[in-house]
Amino acid sequence: MLRRPTNHLDMETVDVLATAVREFAGAVIVVSHDTYFLRHAANRFWSLRDGGVTVFDDLDVAARHARAKS
C-alpha cells in the first residue's frame, strides 16, 4: 500500500514511480490526492461513500461519485 506516495517528489520521480506502479504485475493500493499521478499509475479507482465501495475505470467519474451528496 502506498499512502501519499508523491508528497515531496519532483515530477521526474513521480513519472518514474507511476510507470513502476503501472507496470507492476501485482496489485497496488494507492491513497493519493495527486490526480496527475493517479491518471498515470492507476487503471481502477474506488470511491468510498455511505459505508460502501464503488469501483470505476475513470478517475473523473469516481471523483464525482465521491463528492456527490448522499
Side-chain angles (χ1 to χ4, degrees):
M1 178 173 176
L2 299 174
R3 183 176 171 265
R4 299 181 186 174
T6 59
N7 283 9
H8 311 295
L9 297 182
D10 60 43
M11 287 306 297
E12 182 177 329
T13 306
V14 170
D15 285 333
V16 169
L17 179 60
T19 300
V21 169
R22 187 178 58 249
E23 293 178 356
F24 179 65
V28 177
I29 296 174
V30 176
V31 177
S32 179
H33 297 284
D34 184 338
T35 57
Y36 176 86
F37 174 74
L38 291 171
R39 288 184 198 288
H40 290 85
N43 61 6
R44 186 139 319 135
F45 306 93
W46 298 5
S47 173
L48 287 67
R49 193 181 83 196
D50 301 328
V53 176
T54 306
V55 180
F56 297 93
D57 294 328
D58 182 273
L59 178 59
D60 294 323
V61 175
R64 281 194 299 274
H65 178 268
R67 288 190 303 263
K69 303 270 188 225
S70 300

